[in-house]
Amino acid sequence: MSNGWEPWIEDWYSGFPFLRFYPPLSYLIGAFLGLVLGSDIRGYAATLMLTSFVGAVALHYYLRRTGREPYVAPLVFLLFPWHLGVAYMEANFPRANSINLFPLFLLALLWAFEVRERYLVASAVAISVISLVHHSAMVPLVITGFVLFVEDFRRPRVLSNFFKVGGLVVALTAFWYVPFFMESKWLNFWNIYRHPWLFKGGSLSPSLFLEPAGISSIAIFLTFLLVAYFRGTLWRRTLGLAVLYLYLALGYYSPTPWIHSLPVLSMIPPYRWVDMINLLVPLIVADALTGVECRWKLVAGALATALLILGTLPYARSVPSYPQDLMEVAKFLREQPGDDWRFVVHPAVSPHSYLPVLTGKATLNGWYHEGDPAEEGHIRMWYLLSTGHDASLYLNSYAVKFLIASTNVTVGNYSKIVKIGRYWVYTGNVSFVEPVGAVLVGNFYDLPVDYAYFEDSSKLATIPPGAVGVVYAGNPSKEEESLLWDFLQRGGTVVWVPERGGCLFGVCGVMERIDGSSLSSKVFNVSVFAPFDYDGMPWYGPVFENVTSLLSVGNKSMIGVVKLGKGTLYLVGGNILYHSIYWDSKKEAELVFGLARIDGSLNYTLLSRSDGKYSLIVSPSKPMLIRVSESYYPHWEIRVNGELVEPIRDDRTGLTLITVSKASTVNAEFHDPFMRLRVYSAIGWAVVLAYVLLEFSWGRASRR
């Protein structure tokens, strides 16, 4: 409401394109009505009321046009318990509005069968509205529409109409769907079936049918189903769809849970399928009451209303107030100075996503992870926090100054400072900008050492060799060898950690058993190495000959060094990176990355930071690669001393890397290349809505 639709926001997950991957229309309507009514909560409530009214009216006209009872069914639709239970704050806001508008989709299909152009335009507008309110609702809606109107779709004229309607829908929704699909590689949609806890938690438990809402819903469903069946007015397709969606909603609890591993189904939480029952049960009610005398309709309406109210009352009592200790946590964070840091609350649950608004500070506890370009790094951070491992490296990278935890956590360089309710508050010294001493290339290893990771090794060509050292894990391809050779020839440092035998630049490693008792070195303390065995069996790894030995195993070298041109190549055998993970040996990982690390000092001053912008002054002691604690995205325009530079993505944390060689001013701004689409779509919406209003105006309709 206050800032408009900014393309990049700081509040959630260290920033991401706002509403790029989440349907925007509910929020846009809510913000507009909030401005009109003077309150965000009023805007939220008014949006739900508006979509409920539109949905009920659409259902009324749909039933009238199909010759069915049009009065009681909309009332049942408005009061259906599952429907009302969805309408609570957070990410369910668009979902609740989409359920409200389900009947509008059926009415839009009827309009699409018309000959008159104005109805085709109205159909396109209605479908566009629904698809912009909640895109995933279109999957069950399309299935439902196809099943209910399959005969109509076979008519040539109807197919022609749908090409016209579809073209207009594409034009009206392009401003959101074009960037959504073109940048889908940044999406992180879960495969529901592959996450057992998520799959089970998102499935409809049969026990829900024994709760008041479930009992009243079943009572309405069965009562009118039996009436429609014995009266011969039941549309069996409606019943079939209801049974299908209820079965899909069971998910984990169904006899065939594996079907949710199929494409499309794997992206939809099972409980979402029961949303369609909000539409199908009122259709069955309409079937049952079609042709019934008025007095019996009144009785049926009164009975249905009473049952539905009994089912919805628990929702009114079950909405909890915001926890008082979280309110106190919010007050504590709000009073902390600075804006170059974030906070994290562990474990991550829904109420924590309100804290950015309550505190005015940035967090990693946002609710919409799917559109977060740093999501993979955040998942690793949450995993470490949840399993008792030290997560401080990730917390530092994301500039998390305050960690608030209600369970025991391990955070090495953070200290407890205060207890608020059930939460302990930890704090640590963090920087919005930090130097990166080493880069990992090749196979990825998540080790308790600070480094950046390049999934694409070609990024090395853009970095001055003296700014960072490189650790290559695995056996490089010919193209990667060429990149590493060029890096060495320019004076760089490369540490090669092969996982098997092989050669690099004429230096070969052969697989041999590693005998830990025969390790010797004048450079390293051999006691840092964990035992060289694997589940009680011997440990094997590559060793080297004809190199300057830094660590020997027998008469071979496990760690050696070779000078190549202006650069230095270190060779680390023993499959030591995997060994350090297997034995949880942090010292071994530090030894490997210590060979590559380029040390230097860095001072910085954050001049400003806001949505989609930041400006800072950096003073490095030497040319270096630095990490800015802002999620990488290709549309950041970054200038160093006024000169445009290409930012690099740290594929370990998802943050931004840039190279600086001297004291510099860094200015960054997010430029959304799709902004013009919003202008074009706004013009399109204005023209189309003006046409619809003129064509359906009261005076014109009267003349016709």
PDB file of all heavy atoms in Angstrom, residues 101-130:
ATOM      1  N   LEU A 101     -14.126 -17.493  -6.424  1.00  0.00           N
ATOM      2  CA  LEU A 101     -14.396 -17.218  -7.832  1.00  0.00           C
ATOM      3  C   LEU A 101     -14.564 -18.475  -8.689  1.00  0.00           C
ATOM      4  O   LEU A 101     -14.713 -18.370  -9.914  1.00  0.00           O
ATOM      5  CB  LEU A 101     -13.267 -16.357  -8.415  1.00  0.00           C
ATOM      6  CG  LEU A 101     -13.124 -14.950  -7.819  1.00  0.00           C
ATOM      7  CD1 LEU A 101     -11.882 -14.260  -8.380  1.00  0.00           C
ATOM      8  CD2 LEU A 101     -14.367 -14.109  -8.091  1.00  0.00           C
ATOM      9  N   PHE A 102     -14.545 -19.664  -8.074  1.00  0.00           N
ATOM     10  CA  PHE A 102     -14.706 -20.898  -8.849  1.00  0.00           C
ATOM     11  C   PHE A 102     -15.949 -20.865  -9.745  1.00  0.00           C
ATOM     12  O   PHE A 102     -15.877 -21.238 -10.922  1.00  0.00           O
ATOM     13  CB  PHE A 102     -14.779 -22.102  -7.923  1.00  0.00           C
ATOM     14  CG  PHE A 102     -13.430 -22.590  -7.442  1.00  0.00           C
ATOM     15  CD1 PHE A 102     -13.335 -23.651  -6.556  1.00  0.00           C
ATOM     16  CD2 PHE A 102     -12.254 -21.989  -7.864  1.00  0.00           C
ATOM     17  CE1 PHE A 102     -12.109 -24.101  -6.110  1.00  0.00           C
ATOM     18  CE2 PHE A 102     -11.014 -22.423  -7.417  1.00  0.00           C
ATOM     19  CZ  PHE A 102     -10.949 -23.489  -6.537  1.00  0.00           C
ATOM     20  N   PRO A 103     -17.139 -20.436  -9.227  1.00  0.00           N
ATOM     21  CA  PRO A 103     -18.321 -20.436 -10.102  1.00  0.00           C
ATOM     22  C   PRO A 103     -18.166 -19.516 -11.310  1.00  0.00           C
ATOM     23  O   PRO A 103     -18.764 -19.758 -12.359  1.00  0.00           O
ATOM     24  CB  PRO A 103     -19.441 -19.940  -9.174  1.00  0.00           C
ATOM     25  CG  PRO A 103     -18.961 -20.226  -7.797  1.00  0.00           C
ATOM     26  CD  PRO A 103     -17.476 -20.039  -7.845  1.00  0.00           C
ATOM     27  N   LEU A 104     -17.341 -18.470 -11.167  1.00  0.00           N
ATOM     28  CA  LEU A 104     -17.145 -17.554 -12.285  1.00  0.00           C
ATOM     29  C   LEU A 104     -16.493 -18.271 -13.461  1.00  0.00           C
ATOM     30  O   LEU A 104     -16.745 -17.931 -14.627  1.00  0.00           O
ATOM     31  CB  LEU A 104     -16.286 -16.366 -11.834  1.00  0.00           C
ATOM     32  CG  LEU A 104     -16.039 -15.264 -12.867  1.00  0.00           C
ATOM     33  CD1 LEU A 104     -17.346 -14.632 -13.314  1.00  0.00           C
ATOM     34  CD2 LEU A 104     -15.098 -14.200 -12.283  1.00  0.00           C
ATOM     35  N   PHE A 105     -15.668 -19.264 -13.181  1.00  0.00           N
ATOM     36  CA  PHE A 105     -15.027 -20.016 -14.255  1.00  0.00           C
ATOM     37  C   PHE A 105     -16.061 -20.793 -15.058  1.00  0.00           C
ATOM     38  O   PHE A 105     -15.994 -20.826 -16.303  1.00  0.00           O
ATOM     39  CB  PHE A 105     -13.983 -20.967 -13.675  1.00  0.00           C
ATOM     40  CG  PHE A 105     -13.187 -21.706 -14.715  1.00  0.00           C
ATOM     41  CD1 PHE A 105     -12.121 -21.100 -15.346  1.00  0.00           C
ATOM     42  CD2 PHE A 105     -13.517 -23.006 -15.070  1.00  0.00           C
ATOM     43  CE1 PHE A 105     -11.391 -21.774 -16.312  1.00  0.00           C
ATOM     44  CE2 PHE A 105     -12.794 -23.688 -16.031  1.00  0.00           C
ATOM     45  CZ  PHE A 105     -11.726 -23.075 -16.654  1.00  0.00           C
ATOM     46  N   LEU A 106     -17.025 -21.435 -14.377  1.00  0.00           N
ATOM     47  CA  LEU A 106     -18.067 -22.169 -15.095  1.00  0.00           C
ATOM     48  C   LEU A 106     -18.924 -21.214 -15.927  1.00  0.00           C
ATOM     49  O   LEU A 106     -19.293 -21.525 -17.067  1.00  0.00           O
ATOM     50  CB  LEU A 106     -18.944 -22.942 -14.111  1.00  0.00           C
ATOM     51  CG  LEU A 106     -18.251 -24.046 -13.304  1.00  0.00           C
ATOM     52  CD1 LEU A 106     -19.274 -24.789 -12.446  1.00  0.00           C
ATOM     53  CD2 LEU A 106     -17.522 -25.016 -14.219  1.00  0.00           C
ATOM     54  N   LEU A 107     -19.252 -20.059 -15.360  1.00  0.00           N
ATOM     55  CA  LEU A 107     -20.024 -19.078 -16.116  1.00  0.00           C
ATOM     56  C   LEU A 107     -19.225 -18.582 -17.324  1.00  0.00           C
ATOM     57  O   LEU A 107     -19.782 -18.382 -18.414  1.00  0.00           O
ATOM     58  CB  LEU A 107     -20.399 -17.903 -15.214  1.00  0.00           C
ATOM     59  CG  LEU A 107     -21.311 -16.828 -15.826  1.00  0.00           C
ATOM     60  CD1 LEU A 107     -22.641 -17.433 -16.272  1.00  0.00           C
ATOM     61  CD2 LEU A 107     -21.543 -15.694 -14.831  1.00  0.00           C
ATOM     62  N   ALA A 108     -17.920 -18.419 -17.150  1.00  0.00           N
ATOM     63  CA  ALA A 108     -17.069 -17.982 -18.255  1.00  0.00           C
ATOM     64  C   ALA A 108     -17.068 -19.007 -19.384  1.00  0.00           C
ATOM     65  O   ALA A 108     -17.029 -18.644 -20.569  1.00  0.00           O
ATOM     66  CB  ALA A 108     -15.647 -17.737 -17.764  1.00  0.00           C
ATOM     67  N   LEU A 109     -17.095 -20.302 -19.037  1.00  0.00           N
ATOM     68  CA  LEU A 109     -17.167 -21.330 -20.071  1.00  0.00           C
ATOM     69  C   LEU A 109     -18.473 -21.237 -20.847  1.00  0.00           C
ATOM     70  O   LEU A 109     -18.495 -21.387 -22.076  1.00  0.00           O
ATOM     71  CB  LEU A 109     -17.014 -22.718 -19.446  1.00  0.00           C
ATOM     72  CG  LEU A 109     -15.637 -23.058 -18.861  1.00  0.00           C
ATOM     73  CD1 LEU A 109     -15.624 -24.488 -18.332  1.00  0.00           C
ATOM     74  CD2 LEU A 109     -14.539 -22.885 -19.900  1.00  0.00           C
ATOM     75  N   LEU A 110     -19.582 -20.994 -20.150  1.00  0.00           N
ATOM     76  CA  LEU A 110     -20.857 -20.821 -20.852  1.00  0.00           C
ATOM     77  C   LEU A 110     -20.799 -19.624 -21.796  1.00  0.00           C
ATOM     78  O   LEU A 110     -21.310 -19.671 -22.925  1.00  0.00           O
ATOM     79  CB  LEU A 110     -21.993 -20.635 -19.842  1.00  0.00           C
ATOM     80  CG  LEU A 110     -22.459 -21.878 -19.078  1.00  0.00           C
ATOM     81  CD1 LEU A 110     -23.650 -21.532 -18.199  1.00  0.00           C
ATOM     82  CD2 LEU A 110     -22.825 -23.010 -20.025  1.00  0.00           C
ATOM     83  N   TRP A 111     -20.189 -18.537 -21.341  1.00  0.00           N
ATOM     84  CA  TRP A 111     -20.054 -17.363 -22.204  1.00  0.00           C
ATOM     85  C   TRP A 111     -19.216 -17.687 -23.440  1.00  0.00           C
ATOM     86  O   TRP A 111     -19.466 -17.159 -24.524  1.00  0.00           O
ATOM     87  CB  TRP A 111     -19.407 -16.209 -21.437  1.00  0.00           C
ATOM     88  CG  TRP A 111     -20.317 -15.568 -20.435  1.00  0.00           C
ATOM     89  CD1 TRP A 111     -21.673 -15.603 -20.415  1.00  0.00           C
ATOM     90  CD2 TRP A 111     -19.915 -14.769 -19.322  1.00  0.00           C
ATOM     91  NE1 TRP A 111     -22.159 -14.890 -19.342  1.00  0.00           N
ATOM     92  CE2 TRP A 111     -21.092 -14.354 -18.656  1.00  0.00           C
ATOM     93  CE3 TRP A 111     -18.694 -14.362 -18.811  1.00  0.00           C
ATOM     94  CZ2 TRP A 111     -21.075 -13.561 -17.520  1.00  0.00           C
ATOM     95  CZ3 TRP A 111     -18.666 -13.563 -17.684  1.00  0.00           C
ATOM     96  CH2 TRP A 111     -19.850 -13.172 -17.037  1.00  0.00           C
ATOM     97  N   ALA A 112     -18.209 -18.549 -23.261  1.00  0.00           N
ATOM     98  CA  ALA A 112     -17.334 -18.890 -24.385  1.00  0.00           C
ATOM     99  C   ALA A 112     -18.059 -19.700 -25.455  1.00  0.00           C
ATOM    100  O   ALA A 112     -17.560 -19.818 -26.586  1.00  0.00           O
ATOM    101  CB  ALA A 112     -16.122 -19.667 -23.886  1.00  0.00           C
ATOM    102  N   PHE A 113     -19.208 -20.291 -25.131  1.00  0.00           N
ATOM    103  CA  PHE A 113     -19.980 -21.049 -26.115  1.00  0.00           C
ATOM    104  C   PHE A 113     -20.893 -20.142 -26.938  1.00  0.00           C
ATOM    105  O   PHE A 113     -21.545 -20.601 -27.873  1.00  0.00           O
ATOM    106  CB  PHE A 113     -20.850 -22.107 -25.423  1.00  0.00           C
ATOM    107  CG  PHE A 113     -20.061 -23.083 -24.585  1.00  0.00           C
ATOM    108  CD1 PHE A 113     -20.639 -23.687 -23.471  1.00  0.00           C
ATOM    109  CD2 PHE A 113     -18.759 -23.406 -24.905  1.00  0.00           C
ATOM    110  CE1 PHE A 113     -19.919 -24.579 -22.702  1.00  0.00           C
ATOM    111  CE2 PHE A 113     -18.032 -24.296 -24.141  1.00  0.00           C
ATOM    112  CZ  PHE A 113     -18.608 -24.886 -23.032  1.00  0.00           C
ATOM    113  N   GLU A 114     -20.942 -18.847 -26.577  1.00  0.00           N
ATOM    114  CA  GLU A 114     -21.867 -17.914 -27.219  1.00  0.00           C
ATOM    115  C   GLU A 114     -21.372 -17.513 -28.616  1.00  0.00           C
ATOM    116  O   GLU A 114     -20.191 -17.653 -28.949  1.00  0.00           O
ATOM    117  CB  GLU A 114     -22.004 -16.646 -26.365  1.00  0.00           C
ATOM    118  CG  GLU A 114     -22.773 -16.855 -25.081  1.00  0.00           C
ATOM    119  CD  GLU A 114     -24.278 -16.738 -25.294  1.00  0.00           C
ATOM    120  OE1 GLU A 114     -24.692 -16.358 -26.409  1.00  0.00           O
ATOM    121  OE2 GLU A 114     -25.024 -17.020 -24.347  1.00  0.00           O
ATOM    122  N   VAL A 115     -22.298 -16.964 -29.416  1.00  0.00           N
ATOM    123  CA  VAL A 115     -21.953 -16.437 -30.731  1.00  0.00           C
ATOM    124  C   VAL A 115     -21.522 -14.979 -30.628  1.00  0.00           C
ATOM    125  O   VAL A 115     -20.618 -14.523 -31.324  1.00  0.00           O
ATOM    126  CB  VAL A 115     -23.158 -16.564 -31.701  1.00  0.00           C
ATOM    127  CG1 VAL A 115     -22.829 -15.938 -33.050  1.00  0.00           C
ATOM    128  CG2 VAL A 115     -23.553 -18.023 -31.858  1.00  0.00           C
ATOM    129  N   ARG A 116     -22.171 -14.234 -29.705  1.00  0.00           N
ATOM    130  CA  ARG A 116     -21.926 -12.799 -29.600  1.00  0.00           C
ATOM    131  C   ARG A 116     -20.542 -12.497 -29.025  1.00  0.00           C
ATOM    132  O   ARG A 116     -20.131 -13.089 -28.033  1.00  0.00           O
ATOM    133  CB  ARG A 116     -23.020 -12.160 -28.742  1.00  0.00           C
ATOM    134  CG  ARG A 116     -24.383 -12.128 -29.429  1.00  0.00           C
ATOM    135  CD  ARG A 116     -25.498 -11.829 -28.462  1.00  0.00           C
ATOM    136  NE  ARG A 116     -25.741 -12.955 -27.559  1.00  0.00           N
ATOM    137  CZ  ARG A 116     -26.721 -12.982 -26.650  1.00  0.00           C
ATOM    138  NH1 ARG A 116     -27.521 -11.939 -26.529  1.00  0.00           N
ATOM    139  NH2 ARG A 116     -26.890 -14.033 -25.889  1.00  0.00           N
ATOM    140  N   GLU A 117     -19.857 -11.548 -29.674  1.00  0.00           N
ATOM    141  CA  GLU A 117     -18.478 -11.240 -29.313  1.00  0.00           C
ATOM    142  C   GLU A 117     -18.358 -10.714 -27.886  1.00  0.00           C
ATOM    143  O   GLU A 117     -17.367 -10.969 -27.208  1.00  0.00           O
ATOM    144  CB  GLU A 117     -17.902 -10.202 -30.290  1.00  0.00           C
ATOM    145  CG  GLU A 117     -17.745 -10.703 -31.717  1.00  0.00           C
ATOM    146  CD  GLU A 117     -16.678 -11.783 -31.835  1.00  0.00           C
ATOM    147  OE1 GLU A 117     -15.766 -11.798 -30.982  1.00  0.00           O
ATOM    148  OE2 GLU A 117     -16.752 -12.598 -32.760  1.00  0.00           O
ATOM    149  N   ARG A 118     -19.343  -9.959 -27.427  1.00  0.00           N
ATOM    150  CA  ARG A 118     -19.225  -9.365 -26.092  1.00  0.00           C
ATOM    151  C   ARG A 118     -19.125 -10.436 -25.016  1.00  0.00           C
ATOM    152  O   ARG A 118     -18.455 -10.260 -24.006  1.00  0.00           O
ATOM    153  CB  ARG A 118     -20.381  -8.416 -25.816  1.00  0.00           C
ATOM    154  CG  ARG A 118     -21.764  -9.040 -25.815  1.00  0.00           C
ATOM    155  CD  ARG A 118     -22.819  -7.991 -25.566  1.00  0.00           C
ATOM    156  NE  ARG A 118     -24.157  -8.567 -25.529  1.00  0.00           N
ATOM    157  CZ  ARG A 118     -25.096  -8.182 -24.695  1.00  0.00           C
ATOM    158  NH1 ARG A 118     -24.839  -7.226 -23.814  1.00  0.00           N
ATOM    159  NH2 ARG A 118     -26.285  -8.726 -24.723  1.00  0.00           N
ATOM    160  N   TYR A 119     -19.796 -11.586 -25.230  1.00  0.00           N
ATOM    161  CA  TYR A 119     -19.712 -12.663 -24.251  1.00  0.00           C
ATOM    162  C   TYR A 119     -18.343 -13.345 -24.298  1.00  0.00           C
ATOM    163  O   TYR A 119     -17.833 -13.807 -23.270  1.00  0.00           O
ATOM    164  CB  TYR A 119     -20.817 -13.686 -24.487  1.00  0.00           C
ATOM    165  CG  TYR A 119     -22.156 -13.224 -23.965  1.00  0.00           C
ATOM    166  CD1 TYR A 119     -23.117 -12.690 -24.809  1.00  0.00           C
ATOM    167  CD2 TYR A 119     -22.457 -13.306 -22.604  1.00  0.00           C
ATOM    168  CE1 TYR A 119     -24.342 -12.246 -24.332  1.00  0.00           C
ATOM    169  CE2 TYR A 119     -23.675 -12.872 -22.111  1.00  0.00           C
ATOM    170  CZ  TYR A 119     -24.616 -12.342 -22.982  1.00  0.00           C
ATOM    171  OH  TYR A 119     -25.822 -11.906 -22.495  1.00  0.00           O
ATOM    172  N   LEU A 120     -17.754 -13.411 -25.468  1.00  0.00           N
ATOM    173  CA  LEU A 120     -16.403 -13.972 -25.565  1.00  0.00           C
ATOM    174  C   LEU A 120     -15.401 -13.087 -24.819  1.00  0.00           C
ATOM    175  O   LEU A 120     -14.507 -13.583 -24.128  1.00  0.00           O
ATOM    176  CB  LEU A 120     -15.996 -14.113 -27.030  1.00  0.00           C
ATOM    177  CG  LEU A 120     -16.876 -15.002 -27.921  1.00  0.00           C
ATOM    178  CD1 LEU A 120     -16.249 -15.152 -29.298  1.00  0.00           C
ATOM    179  CD2 LEU A 120     -17.094 -16.358 -27.286  1.00  0.00           C
ATOM    180  N   VAL A 121     -15.544 -11.775 -24.969  1.00  0.00           N
ATOM    181  CA  VAL A 121     -14.657 -10.852 -24.255  1.00  0.00           C
ATOM    182  C   VAL A 121     -14.875 -10.966 -22.753  1.00  0.00           C
ATOM    183  O   VAL A 121     -13.914 -11.002 -21.967  1.00  0.00           O
ATOM    184  CB  VAL A 121     -14.884  -9.406 -24.737  1.00  0.00           C
ATOM    185  CG1 VAL A 121     -14.043  -8.436 -23.914  1.00  0.00           C
ATOM    186  CG2 VAL A 121     -14.559  -9.277 -26.210  1.00  0.00           C
ATOM    187  N   ALA A 122     -16.146 -11.053 -22.321  1.00  0.00           N
ATOM    188  CA  ALA A 122     -16.440 -11.207 -20.892  1.00  0.00           C
ATOM    189  C   ALA A 122     -15.864 -12.512 -20.363  1.00  0.00           C
ATOM    190  O   ALA A 122     -15.345 -12.574 -19.240  1.00  0.00           O
ATOM    191  CB  ALA A 122     -17.953 -11.165 -20.670  1.00  0.00           C
ATOM    192  N   SER A 123     -15.927 -13.572 -21.162  1.00  0.00           N
ATOM    193  CA  SER A 123     -15.343 -14.854 -20.760  1.00  0.00           C
ATOM    194  C   SER A 123     -13.842 -14.720 -20.548  1.00  0.00           C
ATOM    195  O   SER A 123     -13.289 -15.216 -19.552  1.00  0.00           O
ATOM    196  CB  SER A 123     -15.631 -15.906 -21.830  1.00  0.00           C
ATOM    197  OG  SER A 123     -14.969 -17.119 -21.534  1.00  0.00           O
ATOM    198  N   ALA A 124     -13.166 -14.046 -21.477  1.00  0.00           N
ATOM    199  CA  ALA A 124     -11.713 -13.869 -21.353  1.00  0.00           C
ATOM    200  C   ALA A 124     -11.356 -13.068 -20.113  1.00  0.00           C
ATOM    201  O   ALA A 124     -10.380 -13.381 -19.413  1.00  0.00           O
ATOM    202  CB  ALA A 124     -11.175 -13.182 -22.610  1.00  0.00           C
ATOM    203  N   VAL A 125     -12.135 -12.020 -19.824  1.00  0.00           N
ATOM    204  CA  VAL A 125     -11.880 -11.211 -18.631  1.00  0.00           C
ATOM    205  C   VAL A 125     -12.036 -12.062 -17.372  1.00  0.00           C
ATOM    206  O   VAL A 125     -11.190 -12.014 -16.465  1.00  0.00           O
ATOM    207  CB  VAL A 125     -12.832  -9.999 -18.585  1.00  0.00           C
ATOM    208  CG1 VAL A 125     -12.743  -9.300 -17.227  1.00  0.00           C
ATOM    209  CG2 VAL A 125     -12.500  -9.017 -19.699  1.00  0.00           C
ATOM    210  N   ALA A 126     -13.106 -12.858 -17.295  1.00  0.00           N
ATOM    211  CA  ALA A 126     -13.346 -13.684 -16.109  1.00  0.00           C
ATOM    212  C   ALA A 126     -12.240 -14.706 -15.910  1.00  0.00           C
ATOM    213  O   ALA A 126     -11.719 -14.884 -14.794  1.00  0.00           O
ATOM    214  CB  ALA A 126     -14.696 -14.388 -16.236  1.00  0.00           C
ATOM    215  N   ILE A 127     -11.842 -15.395 -16.985  1.00  0.00           N
ATOM    216  CA  ILE A 127     -10.778 -16.398 -16.865  1.00  0.00           C
ATOM    217  C   ILE A 127      -9.459 -15.742 -16.490  1.00  0.00           C
ATOM    218  O   ILE A 127      -8.680 -16.278 -15.690  1.00  0.00           O
ATOM    219  CB  ILE A 127     -10.657 -17.196 -18.180  1.00  0.00           C
ATOM    220  CG1 ILE A 127     -11.922 -18.037 -18.406  1.00  0.00           C
ATOM    221  CG2 ILE A 127      -9.429 -18.100 -18.155  1.00  0.00           C
ATOM    222  CD1 ILE A 127     -11.970 -18.718 -19.761  1.00  0.00           C
ATOM    223  N   SER A 128      -9.195 -14.558 -17.047  1.00  0.00           N
ATOM    224  CA  SER A 128      -7.958 -13.842 -16.702  1.00  0.00           C
ATOM    225  C   SER A 128      -7.926 -13.471 -15.234  1.00  0.00           C
ATOM    226  O   SER A 128      -6.885 -13.603 -14.565  1.00  0.00           O
ATOM    227  CB  SER A 128      -7.841 -12.574 -17.565  1.00  0.00           C
ATOM    228  OG  SER A 128      -7.769 -12.888 -18.932  1.00  0.00           O
ATOM    229  N   VAL A 129      -9.045 -13.008 -14.711  1.00  0.00           N
ATOM    230  CA  VAL A 129      -9.118 -12.645 -13.296  1.00  0.00           C
ATOM    231  C   VAL A 129      -8.805 -13.853 -12.415  1.00  0.00           C
ATOM    232  O   VAL A 129      -7.996 -13.780 -11.479  1.00  0.00           O
ATOM    233  CB  VAL A 129     -10.508 -12.068 -12.960  1.00  0.00           C
ATOM    234  CG1 VAL A 129     -10.715 -12.003 -11.450  1.00  0.00           C
ATOM    235  CG2 VAL A 129     -10.670 -10.681 -13.569  1.00  0.00           C
ATOM    236  N   ILE A 130      -9.430 -14.984 -12.715  1.00  0.00           N
ATOM    237  CA  ILE A 130      -9.218 -16.183 -11.891  1.00  0.00           C
ATOM    238  C   ILE A 130      -7.767 -16.645 -11.975  1.00  0.00           C
ATOM    239  O   ILE A 130      -7.153 -16.997 -10.963  1.00  0.00           O
ATOM    240  CB  ILE A 130     -10.168 -17.303 -12.337  1.00  0.00           C
ATOM    241  CG1 ILE A 130     -11.618 -16.876 -12.126  1.00  0.00           C
ATOM    242  CG2 ILE A 130      -9.894 -18.589 -11.562  1.00  0.00           C
ATOM    243  CD1 ILE A 130     -12.629 -17.761 -12.803  1.00  0.00           C
TER     244      ILE A 130
END
